[in-house]
Amino acid sequence: MAYQKVLNMLKLHFKAKMLLLVITVFSLQLFAQQNSVIENIVKDEFANSQLERLATELSDGIGPRLVGSPQMKAAHDWTIETYKAWGIQAENQQWGQWRGWQRGISHIDMISPWIKSMNGTQLAWSPQSPKGGVTAEVIILPLATDSIQFKQLLPQVKGKLVMISMPQPTGRPDDNWEKYARKDAFEKMKADRTAQNEAWAKRISSTGYNSRTLAVALENAGAAGIISSYWSRAYGANKIFGANTKKVPVVDISLEDYGLLYRLVEAGQKPKLRIIAESKELGLQPTFNTIATIKGSEKPDEYVVLSAHLDSWDGGTGATDNTTGTIIMMEVMRLLKKWYPNPKRTIIAGHWGSEEQGLNGSRAYVQDNPEIIKNIQAVFNQDGGTGRTNFINGAGFVQGYDFLGCWLSAIPQDIRSDIGTDFPGTPAGGGSDNASFVAAGVPAFYLGTTNWDYGTVTWHTNLDTYDKIVFDDLRRSTIVTAILAYMASEDPEKASREKRIPAVNSRGEQIGWPQPRDATRKGGID
Ligand SMILES: [Zn+2]
């Protein structure tokens, strides 16, 4: 072995030893404090958790929080009041404006060939129905071979309620099929469904419009209303997003009732619906982030940021997206204020507005606060449903293992053992508010959680309600987040921002580091 090589190896060995020594000293230094602060946090959260009360007040008391709605503003104000009662300073910071819309009554009844109240609701931002509702025959989107033929068929929709979604071949989720069906029957159902999906996609593209522009084309041709059904692949769950028509209501109807209507139309029964969709347009409304602060004592100009969006879609009450993330961060602030009232660094909780419409609140905060962004130690973002923390991706920071690994080691073993890690990991390009910070080069981490069938059952669905919250898991996530914030605040070193270049995404492909993007400051008015 060459002399130089041996020397290098020895140097490396020495470096590793020194690092170990530094880590050990650091751990020991912290140990005395950990005994009290960490123990108190764990004990308090299991004995005195406020999570249930907070969830009731926010999800049940205020309800869903569509950006620009009066409930969104009420949620911002409630967040401030709650912090104030704990002696924590908080304020609403305006960053833009959004179309103000207030959801009213949705009532949908089939009145012919027999009477049945439909399980459905208007989409967010849907135009109102005329006074007394709209009563009309239901038809299926005309089938055309191309856009020229579709134009010729378009007058058929005049005065009609037009169904624009594919009817599902089965209302049973796939795991139910897997449990009970013969294997070949399950495979056949899936193959048939794939073919049906492809045929429906062709039916839409043959109109010359896409799923966004089609509804507008139909209303311009005189349709009385638009009916969709966006099944979320769980019993009773439909995703409820926004309408983009200007004059006629758009309603989502459950898989079961949508299927009923569709079959009646196909059978020539000419079903009729009465749709009452009430709402109020409130003009442009100010949009905010609510920012709570516990001032740092030694390094007040360095920051640890707790991040969770406060807005939601409005088909349910936003219970797991993102009442859960919101109240975890509030509860963490309560615990820190009580047991760690003079943090070394300033601790901020950012409750962002308009994450659901494009991470706008957090993007605006990053744009508007360059001095803070420069001096952030770490961001911890909660937006994963209702599970307990089980995974942290190092977000592509080369030294992540050293600092984040050290912070994680302070978590009690029975909770720490749930948490997997990936270092250096991959920078988030989107998905939630951590991406807004990562794009600015800030070590910002998404706190991954156990799944609880989030994507199908509650994510943006009518079933995103209080009863789906798993409080025992939230308590554990609260403890994890509080200890990470405490350790990040106490760390003698500033966390390294050295990036993995080139960055690699979750599929192992090389990507550039995500770039910051502008917030939409005037939204919902296109
Ligand atoms: Zn979310």
Side-chain angles (χ1 to χ4, degrees):
M1 205 180 283
Y3 170 72
Q4 191 57 39
K5 204 168 176 188
V6 174
L7 195 71
N8 283 345
M9 278 189 64
L10 278 171
K11 270 188 191 162
L12 264 179
H13 186 67
F14 180 69
K15 266 191 180 169
K17 268 205 136 163
M18 278 306 291
L19 191 68
L20 214 76
L21 189 73
V22 169
I23 289 172
T24 312
V25 170
F26 178 45
S27 306
L28 283 174
Q29 271 178 349
L30 284 167
F31 189 67
Q33 294 169 339
Q34 279 171 19
N35 271 346
S36 56
V37 176
I38 293 179
E39 263 180 32
N40 285 332
I41 284 171
V42 175
K43 261 191 216 152
D44 193 326
E45 186 48 28
F46 281 124
N48 186 33
S49 174
Q50 300 295 301
L51 291 170
E52 281 90 341
R53 173 177 73 83
L54 297 175
T56 306
E57 290 179 7
L58 181 56
S59 250
D60 294 342
I62 292 172
R65 301 164 299 280
L66 192 72
V67 60
S69 70
Q71 286 153 300
M72 180 81 249
K73 179 60 168 55
H76 284 295
D77 293 343
W78 168 83
T79 306
I80 290 181
E81 290 310 311
T82 308
Y83 277 127
K84 289 209 167 135
W86 294 335
I88 296 170
Q89 188 271 330
E91 61 177 13
N92 288 336
Q93 298 179 352
Q94 191 187 340
W95 53 266
Q97 294 173 298
W98 214 271
R99 172 183 169 187
W101 183 84
Q102 184 169 18
R103 178 177 282 274
I105 288 169
S106 294
H107 203 110
I108 309 162
D109 299 296
M110 182 170 80
I111 54 167
S112 177
W114 46 283
I115 291 176
K116 182 181 193 302
S117 293
M118 303 268 106
N119 185 359
T121 190
Q122 65 189 310
L123 299 189
W125 296 296
S126 169
Q128 291 208 75
S129 58
K131 276 257 172 291
V134 54
T135 303
E137 185 190 332
V138 177
I139 63 166
I140 299 166
L141 177 70
L143 175 63
T145 50
D146 55 32
S147 61
I148 297 162
Q149 195 195 6
F150 184 72
K151 273 211 174 66
Q152 291 161 357
L153 298 176
L154 206 46
Q156 292 178 7
V157 308
K158 194 167 171 55
K160 303 291 200 299
L161 298 166
V162 186
M163 307 178 86
I164 61 167
S165 301
M166 185 190 92
Q168 292 297 325
T170 177
R172 295 183 181 278
D174 281 9
D175 54 4
N176 188 244
W177 276 79
E178 213 162 1
K179 200 167 159 191
Y180 294 110
R182 282 173 51 97
K183 197 170 181 311
D184 55 348
F186 182 34
E187 291 306 319
K188 181 172 186 310
M189 184 280 285
K190 284 193 290 187
D192 289 351
R193 186 174 58 191
T194 301
Q196 197 189 342
N197 273 319
E198 282 164 7
W200 194 267
K202 189 157 179 292
R203 186 176 188 136
I204 299 284
S205 67
S206 297
T207 65
Y209 299 97
N210 58 37
S211 54
R212 254 193 85 80
T213 54
L214 178 60
V216 176
L218 292 169
E219 80 169 338
N220 288 339
I226 310 294
I227 306 170
S228 63
S229 181
Y230 188 166
W231 190 42
S232 187
R233 296 181 164 234
Y235 282 118
N238 267 35
K239 298 202 184 297
I240 310 296
F241 289 115
N244 45 37
T245 53
K246 302 275 183 272
K247 296 167 282 190
V248 302
V250 184
V251 298
D252 182 280
I253 293 182
S254 74
L255 174 150
E256 292 79 10
D257 288 341
Y258 192 88
L260 165 69
L261 287 170
Y262 199 98
R263 292 186 299 273
L264 288 171
V265 174
E266 280 193 313
Q269 293 266 10
K270 298 184 186 292
K272 269 190 187 170
L273 288 186
R274 183 177 60 212
I275 296 176
I276 295 169
E278 296 175 354
S279 61
K280 271 193 196 136
E281 291 290 341
L282 303 170
L284 273 181
Q285 295 292 318
T287 51
F288 304 94
N289 295 321
T290 300
I291 306 294
T293 307
I294 304 175
K295 194 93 183 140
S297 53
E298 266 181 56
K299 298 183 175 182
D301 297 331
E302 291 189 20
Y303 304 87
V304 174
V305 177
L306 305 168
S307 158
H309 71 86
L310 185 57
D311 64 310
S312 73
W313 283 103
D314 75 341
T317 60
T320 69
D321 188 14
N322 193 18
T323 288
T324 45
T326 302
I327 64 176
I328 284 172
M329 293 317 182
M330 294 177 78
E331 180 74 345
V332 167
M333 289 293 270
R334 181 186 73 79
L335 293 165
L336 293 175
K337 177 70 181 173
K338 190 166 167 189
W339 301 112
Y340 182 53
N342 299 302
K344 186 180 270 186
R345 293 179 170 85
T346 295
I347 298 176
I348 287 175
H351 300 279
W352 319 117
S354 194
E355 186 268 357
E356 297 293 5
Q357 312 306 323
L359 316 185
N360 296 302
S362 56
R363 280 179 181 162
Y365 187 82
V366 169
Q367 283 180 317
D368 294 347
N369 296 280
E371 283 307 309
I372 293 176
I373 296 307
K374 235 180 9 197
N375 292 312
I376 291 178
Q377 172 80 332
V379 176
F380 302 108
N381 184 48
Q382 278 282 354
D383 187 19
T386 192
R388 60 193 176 280
T389 313
N390 74 344
F391 193 77
I392 299 179
N393 180 320
F397 293 93
V398 177
Q399 310 293 335
Y401 176 79
D402 290 342
F403 59 86
L404 191 53
C406 171
W407 305 341
L408 280 164
S409 69
I411 296 167
Q413 188 50 31
D414 69 316
I415 295 176
R416 169 72 185 88
S417 62
D418 281 344
I419 307 171
T421 52
D422 178 19
F423 292 113
T426 55
S432 189
D433 296 299
N434 50 305
S436 306
F437 290 90
V438 165
V442 180
F445 305 103
Y446 181 87
L447 301 172
T449 52
T450 49
N451 183 277
W452 290 100
D453 294 339
Y454 181 50
T456 53
V457 178
T458 58
W459 184 66
H460 302 162
T461 76
N462 55 325
L463 300 188
D464 192 8
T465 45
Y466 182 99
D467 49 285
K468 311 305 182 310
I469 298 176
V470 181
F471 285 99
D472 189 69
D473 273 10
L474 292 199
R475 274 185 258 292
R476 287 164 193 278
S477 295
T478 300
I479 288 167
V480 168
T481 312
I483 294 173
L484 287 176
Y486 163 68
M487 293 295 288
S489 166
E490 281 294 300
D491 197 325
E493 302 292 324
K494 183 151 187 234
S496 162
R497 294 185 169 198
E498 189 187 337
K499 295 169 186 163
R500 177 184 192 178
I501 302 285
V504 173
N505 69 15
S506 55
R507 290 185 296 280
E509 301 154 352
Q510 289 189 358
I511 52 166
W513 195 267
Q515 291 302 304
R517 290 173 60 182
D518 288 344
T520 301
R521 304 269 182 166
K522 216 174 196 186
I525 49 167
D526 50 15

